[in-house]
Amino acid sequence: MKNKFLLLTMFVSILLLLAACGTDNTEKAGSGASTQESDTFTIGLEAGYPPFNWTQMDDSNGGVKLQGNSEYAGGYDVEMAKKIAEGLGKELVIVKTEWDGLVPALTSGKIDAIMAGMSPTKERKATIDFSDNYYTSNFVMVVKKGGPYENATSIQDFKGAKVTGQLNTSHYGVIDQIDGVKKQTAMDNFPAMRVALESGKIDGYVSERPEGISASSANENFVMVEFTEGFKASEEETAVAVGLTKDSELTEKINEILAKISEEERQEIMDNAIKNQPAAE
């Protein structure tokens, strides 16, 4: 009886010891994962909105490898993200994410920040926070060269035109300011809009000036139209900022880093992005 009790006691002791070791290893693994996460600055972007961001097949012109595949991302957002990551003392990780999936990816913790040419609108601020602006632009229209809208000077010149913009963006919303416009279904991304314009499915699409320059540089059949009587938009709709989770500890740190980047340097980065963008999308 004593022997049986002794054996039972030893068996229970071994189980407790094994359980303790497992707990210790789990804690260490969790600690390691946490440390790894803190060593990275993970951003989400479409990699399809040049010159802010695009997809390329190698690391030329400073391209950064996308997480989980063989492609790389380049562009203005990428270059600014590099500076922020360096200022934070972290490794930059980029996750290619569809536009509509960016905010959910941020709020679910899959990414630390959104750097995708995103404007800090009131609607978005209800869900997420933003850094200070890291670029400010204005709205333009991209049309076919030699077409009836190439020499437009007012947005009202697009009366009767088939016009679109990107889904869930202020680009699409401002189309309503054109009297009699034939507003088309919003599209998911800019490559799709460029294809639609090339094929004649639409007469033009709204974008920000850097993308307009990018589109006309990438395709000789496109031209960017800037207006003397243009779209009315608030700064929050034409500015670009880093999207962050509510009350993120990164917000203040990122603002400090951005404050050290002069407007001249930002414009130089944008000019280089326009120059280095892929020849076609």
Side-chain angles (χ1 to χ4, degrees), residues 31-250:
S31 176
S34 177
T35 300
Q36 186 178 4
E37 288 172 2
S38 67
D39 287 342
T40 60
F41 176 55
T42 303
I43 69 164
L45 47 72
E46 294 172 279
Y49 180 35
F52 286 97
N53 56 77
W54 64 71
T55 301
Q56 58 188 54
M57 299 312 297
D58 55 37
D59 62 357
S60 60
N61 298 316
V64 175
K65 196 171 189 304
L66 290 163
Q67 185 183 65
N69 63 49
S70 60
E71 298 173 324
Y72 292 74
Y76 182 80
D77 291 324
V78 174
E79 294 304 313
M80 293 297 287
K82 286 181 186 179
K83 290 187 172 294
I84 291 174
E86 181 181 1
L88 294 172
K90 298 177 183 290
E91 176 189 356
L92 176 62
V93 176
I94 302 179
V95 180
K96 187 174 183 177
T97 310
E98 289 296 324
W99 179 261
D100 277 357
L102 287 169
V103 172
L106 177 65
T107 55
S108 67
K110 292 181 180 179
I111 57 177
D112 299 318
I114 298 169
M115 293 192 69
M118 181 173 280
S119 299
T121 62
K122 291 179 181 178
E123 291 77 11
R124 294 186 184 120
K125 285 180 178 179
T127 306
I128 63 176
D129 283 345
F130 284 92
S131 71
D132 293 337
N133 301 337
Y134 65 90
Y135 196 80
T136 301
S137 186
N138 58 290
F139 291 138
V140 299
M141 192 84 76
V142 179
V143 302
K144 273 283 195 70
K145 183 179 289 186
Y149 302 101
E150 179 180 2
N151 297 315
T153 58
S154 167
I155 60 172
Q156 302 308 332
D157 292 335
F158 283 84
K159 180 178 180 179
K162 295 178 290 184
V163 177
T164 191
Q166 189 178 27
L167 182 68
N168 293 330
T169 66
S170 50
H171 305 170
Y172 190 65
V174 297
I175 296 172
D176 295 330
Q177 296 176 22
I178 305 173
D179 297 332
V181 70
K182 294 180 180 177
K183 189 175 183 180
Q184 303 297 292
T185 302
M187 296 189 178
D188 289 334
N189 53 59
F190 283 83
M193 286 186 277
R194 292 186 185 187
V195 170
L197 180 60
E198 183 75 67
S199 67
K201 185 177 179 180
I202 59 174
D203 295 313
Y205 68 83
V206 179
S207 73
E208 292 175 63
R209 190 174 186 276
E211 195 282 333
I213 296 173
S214 173
S216 55
S217 298
N219 190 324
E220 62 181 9
N221 295 320
F222 293 167
V223 64
M224 177 186 72
V225 177
E226 296 185 87
F227 303 105
T228 54
E229 297 178 19
F231 294 105
K232 295 179 181 178
S234 63
E235 183 182 351
E236 71 172 16
E237 293 175 316
T238 55
V240 171
V242 183
L244 298 154
T245 55
K246 284 289 185 182
D247 302 317
S248 172
E249 63 179 17
L250 290 175

